[in-house]
Amino acid sequence: MEGVQFLSTLFVFAVGLFVLFVIILFIADVAQTKNAIRRNYPVVGHFREIFSQLGEFFRQYFFALDREELPFNRAEREWVYRSSSGADNTVAFGSTRNLSDVGTVIFVNCPFPTLDEHGVPPPAVTVGPYARHPYVFTSLINISGMSYGAISKPAVQALSKGAAMAGCWLNTGEGGLSPFHLQGGADIVFQIGTAKYGVRGADGLLDESRLREIAAHEQVRMIELKLSQGAKPGKGGILPAAKVTPEIAAIRGIPSYIDSISPNRHLEIDSVPDLLDAIERIRLIAGKPVGFKCVIGAYGWLERMCEEVQRRGIESAPDFIAVDSGDGGTGAAPLALMDNVGLTIREALPMVVDILHKYGLRDRIKIFASGKLITPAEVAWAYCAGADAVVSARGFMFALGCIQSLKCNKNTCPTGITTHNPRLQRGLDPADKAVRVATFVHKMRNDVGVIAHSCGVPHPRALKRYHCRVVQANGRSVPLNELYPPATPAPAPLSSVA
Ligand SMILES: Cc1cc2nc3c(=O)[nH]c(=O)nc-3n(C[C@H](O)[C@H](O)[C@H](O)COP(=O)(O)O)c2cc1C
């Protein structure tokens, strides 16, 4: 009896507490002036916020169709998950993709496809023939820049080890070179962002001796000057204060727990001649190939750059251009830039290839492409359009276990990839995830090869624009070489080097 009495007292007490809580909430809602819904609909107004947040989760699991979500739909994510776990990723019954959607890519299969035994590995590509240490690579897919800071220590460790296992490169992103990038033994592309983290002098400009030190690491194979990034063209990197831990701050050379905001451009680069001067200077100091990353909007400057290269001599050219898509990913960016500024890779890549071709610089300047190229079809499209290499950031995040919870800017990533909270990082075992990264790369190489063989060529670097058609608004597909006809070459560039 005593137990029942205790429970009923507890119940009455709990109900009393609840009623008190509702009364306090009611008064707080009516008294506040910031939120109209809560002021007009006290207490119940909170449900709107709660349901909006829960909707994000429930839509993904229960309501969104396989091909519906953005930035990546379930079918794309599942392909990466299954590929990186080494699971069988054949599918049954038929395509869930609507093949008449505008922009759908369709490859033209050959009646006599390449036999598997006639397929060959893609040939090596040499970047920076005039640098003291040119870089030779073969990998079809590589890891695009994600700074240590934007992503966590175990994530960087897993990527570094996975890249070494797969034989692809790892770009540091703009947060400097950390010991974790080097740990796995992978080839590294060192990125110099607009704040020059890691090679930053007291004046915010390039510290040559620091650059010399970094470039001296044998693993550092190329240097990438970041002009812009697809998700935020015209805005520098943003690392929220919560993610600027003392260790990250030390690597970047900035104070900890204060927002780390990079300038919108390199302070000393305000024109095409400035850009070529900076590239030449860095190449001389580093002795490694130097190129730049950008998202394309205006493009007249690229033509002026090619003319300037012709004037200065072919060795003055950037060794590569990494073309990022206007719908590229980021740790944090303003929505207006993310949504509405910069061309997507679909338009930008053929445009850049054609401009270089027009000026006879296509062989000299290698082109890397990024922007949602995370499935074999997208990667094969990039090779048809003229890329020398594909790089991906979010493809590798999925390989690490990312569930697209869109929390990269909050330090609360549930998978430990973009958080510095040790409790959340516990779920990310670098050794296990490194294997997934490597398996993803192997599977991608294999499946892009399968598309190439179906088109009748021996490897993906032999894919041409005529191998790929793109569905138009009238429901008909048009070959890529008609959409982007080959440019007429301008006179060959001068060369002061035999
Ligand atoms: C978490 C995160 C951090 C990133 N950090 C950088 C960076 O430091 N420097 C950079 O140039 N790009 C950065 N990016 C952009 C990627 O390198 C890449 O250009 C872009 O996401 C497009 O590739 P994707 O569609 O395969 O992700 C970042 C992207 C993500 C998702």
Side-chain angles (χ1 to χ4, degrees), residues 72 144-147 150-151 172-175 191 224 226 228-230 293 324-325 327-331 370-374 391-395 397 408 418:
F72 296 92
S144 190
M146 287 178 280
S147 63
I151 60 172
T172 59
E174 65 168 285
Q191 185 178 80
E224 180 179 88
K226 177 175 135 181
S228 57
Q229 174 186 337
K293 171 172 179 168
D324 198 18
S325 187
D327 55 5
T330 176
S370 59
K372 300 176 83 168
L373 306 176
I374 71 160
V391 294
S392 175
R394 288 169 293 177
M397 289 175 76
C408 312
T418 62

Side-chain angles (χ1 to χ4, degrees), residues 3-167:
V4 174
Q5 205 172 2
F6 174 73
L7 282 178
S8 59
T9 315
L10 198 67
F11 178 73
V12 172
F13 183 69
V15 170
L17 260 187
F18 178 71
V19 171
L20 187 68
F21 171 73
V22 170
I23 292 171
I24 293 173
L25 197 62
F26 183 93
I27 295 169
D29 283 351
V30 175
Q32 60 84 35
T33 51
K34 288 207 170 89
N35 186 316
I37 296 288
R38 274 168 42 208
R39 195 168 160 91
N40 289 344
Y41 304 93
V43 183
V44 286
H46 286 271
F47 285 106
R48 193 187 159 276
E49 283 163 36
I50 295 168
F51 289 150
S52 308
Q53 277 168 19
L54 289 180
E56 241 176 61
F57 292 102
F58 286 125
R59 272 195 302 278
Q60 180 175 128
Y61 294 114
F62 299 122
F63 303 113
L65 299 179
D66 278 357
R67 303 278 181 177
E68 209 174 57
E69 290 164 281
L70 287 168
F72 296 92
N73 62 45
R74 190 184 295 134
E76 292 163 331
R77 296 196 309 266
E78 285 296 327
W79 185 83
V80 181
Y81 295 149
R82 281 196 307 270
S83 300
S84 47
S85 67
D88 168 31
N89 60 4
T90 55
V91 285
F93 204 62
S95 176
T96 59
R97 179 167 200 148
N98 182 353
L99 297 180
S100 49
D101 277 351
V102 176
T104 301
V105 165
I106 295 175
F107 297 95
V108 290
N109 61 298
C110 168
F112 315 108
T114 308
L115 291 172
D116 285 346
E117 55 269 35
H118 293 164
V120 296
V125 176
T126 302
V127 194
Y130 302 102
R132 290 198 296 283
H133 305 280
Y135 179 49
V136 182
F137 72 91
T138 55
S139 185
L140 294 173
I141 180 148
N142 302 278
I143 306 175
S144 190
M146 287 178 280
S147 63
Y148 173 44
I151 60 172
S152 65
K153 173 174 150 183
V156 174
Q157 288 171 318
L159 290 174
S160 152
K161 191 149 186 252
M165 288 159 76

Side-chain angles (χ1 to χ4, degrees), residues 43 73 76 87 116 131 151 155 165 180 287 299 318 322 334 344 363 369 371 387-388 429 432 455 477 484:
V43 183
N73 62 45
E76 292 163 331
D116 285 346
I151 60 172
M165 288 159 76
F180 318 116
Y299 54 87
T344 66
D363 285 341
D388 292 299
D429 172 31
D432 172 72
C455 292
S477 65
Y484 297 97

